[in-house]
Amino acid sequence: ATQPDESNLDQTGDIERNDQEPWRTTGQVTNAAGTPIAGVTVRAHTGIGSLRQSGETTTGADGKYDLRFGPGFWSENMQMVQAATISVQLDGHFERNLHRQGDRIAALEKPDGELGWGGKTLDDLFLPGESKEINFVMLPAAKVSGMVIGPNGDKLDGVRVSLVGAEMPPSSSVVANTQTDKGGRFEMTGVPTGFKFQFLIEPYEAKPPWLAWASAPMVFTQHDDGNTHLEYSIDGNPIDFSCQQLNLILNGNGVNWKTALKEAAERNLELTWDGLSTDKLVRAGMAFLELGNEPE
């Protein structure tokens, strides 16, 4: 982890204010059992509207980090209040709370009156000369891989595949996203488990009328066999479901992306598959998920 430069310490042992990186956060990253995790990347993003990365460090052997970061924009306003998001990243893992505890604000001076930042309080405010402790817990993430198939049965290359949901990391519009290759294939790793997400399929260049396809909500579960695992039930009975490849079948011409998500959110997850199936278990080579208008 980044350690303070002792030449920059005052007589009290505190770090002097750095005009370029006036804010500081410290903490520890552990697993669910409380064991420290080394080598986790900790980042700060700051600004208004579009945030930019303004600080980065990694955890040490004890899982602890010390991160100094700066503004995402500069202005003549001496307060310079702005969003400040602290997040963590480790391959194959996700933060248990989607690092929502890192959803903060920062300023060079304490603002006058109410903060007026979406329910934020002074406890959420970074100020120069003060340090805030933010701890994180990393859990093993899920993996999802598959193929996007168009209404005519074509394997679609160059389309955007995103996972979105009601519960998202701060300052994020998607929890994961990628692009299909020339064979229509896609893969996402680091997918959070235990949250409801929807697939959103869009052309690579989104243009009016912003046509898209969306899936019913689903919950991914984590396993170490490289397959895609989902919470699934048949007639209300939960089953152990996994597949090697989850194929997304697009129906119709697509609709506005907001409409697509809203309509699909009201549907139950319905899969078909090719593979071993019992009353309690499905092990599929391929599973199929219909998106968009129901096929006639």
Side-chain angles (χ1 to χ4, degrees):
T2 300
Q3 299 298 324
D5 181 356
E6 293 184 0
S7 66
N8 196 35
L9 297 181
D10 63 19
Q11 293 181 352
T12 65
D14 292 329
I15 298 179
E16 295 177 347
R17 172 175 171 174
N18 183 320
D19 288 337
Q20 299 300 313
E21 295 181 325
W23 302 308
R24 181 186 183 190
T25 178
T26 61
Q28 187 178 40
V29 182
T30 66
N31 63 17
T35 303
I37 305 178
V40 178
T41 301
V42 187
R43 295 187 176 96
H45 288 79
T46 51
I48 295 179
S50 297
L51 307 188
R52 72 174 185 87
Q53 183 175 315
S54 54
E56 179 178 312
T57 189
T58 56
T59 58
D62 57 1
K64 294 183 179 180
Y65 72 91
D66 189 330
L67 175 64
R68 295 190 69 91
F69 61 100
F73 76 98
W74 294 88
S75 73
E76 296 181 357
N77 183 326
M78 292 304 297
Q79 293 182 350
M80 276 181 33
V81 182
Q82 56 197 275
T85 300
I86 311 301
S87 61
V88 289
Q89 191 273 328
L90 180 67
D91 287 347
H93 294 74
F94 74 100
E95 206 285 318
R96 180 171 64 183
N97 193 42
L98 300 183
H99 57 252
R100 288 192 290 257
Q101 64 270 40
D103 185 13
R104 307 296 179 104
I105 56 176
L108 294 185
E109 296 179 359
K110 182 180 175 181
D112 299 326
E114 298 292 330
L115 292 178
W117 277 71
K120 297 290 192 298
T121 69
L122 291 179
D123 289 337
D124 301 312
L125 177 65
F126 284 103
L127 289 171
E130 301 178 1
S131 177
K132 290 193 176 295
E133 179 179 343
I134 305 177
N135 299 313
F136 299 96
V137 177
M138 304 298 289
L139 302 178
K143 171 187 173 182
V144 55
S145 59
M147 184 179 297
V148 178
I149 301 174
N152 297 324
D154 300 329
K155 300 172 182 177
L156 301 182
D157 67 290
V159 298
R160 290 188 292 166
V161 182
S162 305
L163 284 175
V164 301
E167 297 180 277
M168 300 294 291
S171 307
S172 300
S173 58
V174 299
V175 72
N177 68 316
T178 188
Q179 183 179 343
T180 58
D181 65 14
K182 291 185 178 180
R185 295 177 293 269
F186 70 91
E187 180 175 291
M188 296 177 179
T189 59
V191 176
T193 63
F195 296 89
K196 286 186 177 181
F197 296 124
Q198 291 175 263
F199 278 109
L200 180 65
I201 310 300
E202 304 169 279
Y204 179 71
E205 294 184 4
K207 298 179 180 180
W210 310 99
L211 299 182
W213 295 260
S215 75
M218 65 193 72
V219 178
F220 295 92
T221 59
Q222 188 273 333
H223 288 264
D224 58 4
D225 58 7
N227 293 333
T228 298
H229 292 254
L230 295 167
E231 289 186 2
Y232 195 63
S233 62
I234 299 177
D235 297 330
N237 299 313
I239 63 173
D240 183 359
F241 183 94
S242 73
C243 62
Q244 296 176 5
Q245 182 171 304
L246 179 60
N247 291 339
L248 308 179
I249 313 299
L250 308 186
N251 295 305
N253 296 320
V255 295
N256 177 273
W257 68 273
K258 291 183 178 180
T259 301
L261 287 170
K262 181 178 180 181
E263 292 180 348
E266 300 175 355
R267 299 175 184 169
N268 293 323
L269 180 62
E270 296 184 2
L271 299 169
T272 56
W273 55 83
D274 179 9
L276 172 66
S277 177
T278 69
D279 292 339
K280 298 182 179 180
L281 177 146
V282 170
R283 292 292 180 266
M286 289 188 180
F288 304 91
L289 177 60
E290 304 276 351
L291 280 66
N293 299 329
E294 295 294 332
E296 297 180 359

